[in-house]
């Protein structure tokens, strides 16, 4: 990895990362702030009382009237994972296939630096942004929860924040692999978002089918969230599967970029 290339990659993401970060922190804080009024009204459990149990579980609304269930249903089951995966996809695509389509990557690769080093430096920049935003949203919950009488264990906040990071990095790793193979940016986006949609559907919807429920274990969403990290803490097996998947996809991207011709604008 090259420090100067890493700095350039971070600079290219600065404005968009600030917008994403402010939006995520604002969403997180606003959800926590709603807890006192909703919990006192007693309406939380009644919101899901008429839904089938399997659907409640699929939507992350189990124990919705509890502090952990409230946070999970409003943040960690769908909204924040979706934001982190979209962010990882968009940022990594812009810094790899997008820059190659625009001719900017060709200028970087003309420098006396190996192609994999350029890609790895940009990948590290995206990983750093994801890590900072995962820490920021987790810190927001940790700071605001006591203010609004939301009783959440700090270890659970740390564990679920790490899951957000790994989901975002999985998508960034997938994009790196696709860009390394030489796909253009629109194609990379199509494939990556299709994988994202399929992975969520396998995790959340297949268990409703009963006989196909075991297939959910193959989804990165299951690896990240299936063990309920907000209440159960760190899941070593799920984290190991995400780390291995990210490493494999990254290796594909770094190896294939060495063996092909770079497109010109």
């Amino acid at each position: 990895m090259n420090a100067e290339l890493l700095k350039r990659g971070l600079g290219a993401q600065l404005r968009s990362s600030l917008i994403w970060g402010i939006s995520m922190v604002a969403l997180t804080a606003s959800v926590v702030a709603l807890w006192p009024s909703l919990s006192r009204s007693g309406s939380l459990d009644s919101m899901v009382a008429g839904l089938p149990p399997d659907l409640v579980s699929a939507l992350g609304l189990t124990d919705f009237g509890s502090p952990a269930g409230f946070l999970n249903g409003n943040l960690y089951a769908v909204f924040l994972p979706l934001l982190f995966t979209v962010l990882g996809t968009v940022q990594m695509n812009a810094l790899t296939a997008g820059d190659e389509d625009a001719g900017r990557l060709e200028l970087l690769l003309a420098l006396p630096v190996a192609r994999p080093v350029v890609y790895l430096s940009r990948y590290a920049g995206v990983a750093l942004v994801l890590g900072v935003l995962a820490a920021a949203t987790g810190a927001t919950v940790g700071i605001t929860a006591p203010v609004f009488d939301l009783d959440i264990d700090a270890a659970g906040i740390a564990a679920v924040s790490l899951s957000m990071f790994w989901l975002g990095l999985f998508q960034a790793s997938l994009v790196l692999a696709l860009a390394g193979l030489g796909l253009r940016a629109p194609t990379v986006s199509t494939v990556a978002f299709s994988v994202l949609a399929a992975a969520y559907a396998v995790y959340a919807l297949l268990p409703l089918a009963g006989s196909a429920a075991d297939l959910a274990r193959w989804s990165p969403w299951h690896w990240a969230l299936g063990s309920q990290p907000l209440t159960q803490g760190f899941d070593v097996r799920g984290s190991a599967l995400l780390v291995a998947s990210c490493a494999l996809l990254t290796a594909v991207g770094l190896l294939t970029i060495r063996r092909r011709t770079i497109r010109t604008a």
Side-chain angles (χ1 to χ4, degrees), residues 30-204:
S30 64
V31 166
V32 175
L34 289 173
W35 167 253
S37 60
L38 291 177
S39 62
R40 284 194 297 266
S41 71
S43 62
L44 290 173
D45 287 326
S46 63
M47 290 180 182
V48 298
L51 297 176
D54 289 342
L55 182 60
V56 169
S57 177
L59 296 175
L61 300 176
T62 305
D63 296 326
F64 195 49
S66 68
F70 175 78
L71 272 186
N72 197 54
N74 284 294
L75 282 178
Y76 293 116
V78 178
F79 292 114
L80 279 184
L82 184 62
L83 289 174
F84 274 93
T85 50
V86 171
L87 174 62
T89 300
V90 171
Q91 299 290 66
M92 196 72 247
N93 193 25
L95 292 175
T96 52
D99 273 1
E100 184 174 356
D101 288 347
R104 291 185 293 268
L105 193 62
E106 184 182 14
L107 298 176
L108 282 178
L109 295 177
L111 299 173
V113 180
R115 291 181 181 183
V117 172
V118 174
Y119 261 47
L120 185 59
S121 298
R122 299 200 147 199
Y123 178 75
V126 173
L128 186 57
V129 168
L130 291 170
V132 168
L133 295 188
T137 53
T140 301
V141 174
I143 292 169
T144 58
V147 176
F148 294 102
D149 297 321
L150 187 66
D151 185 18
I152 293 292
D153 183 62
I157 296 172
V160 77
S161 297
L162 183 62
S163 294
M164 300 300 101
F165 167 77
W166 282 124
L167 270 177
L169 194 65
F170 175 86
Q171 283 293 126
S173 303
L174 173 62
V175 170
L176 180 68
L178 296 172
L181 289 167
L183 301 183
R184 291 187 176 274
T187 306
V188 170
S189 290
T190 300
V191 174
F193 283 121
S194 297
V195 170
L196 171 57
Y200 177 74
V202 167
Y203 163 69

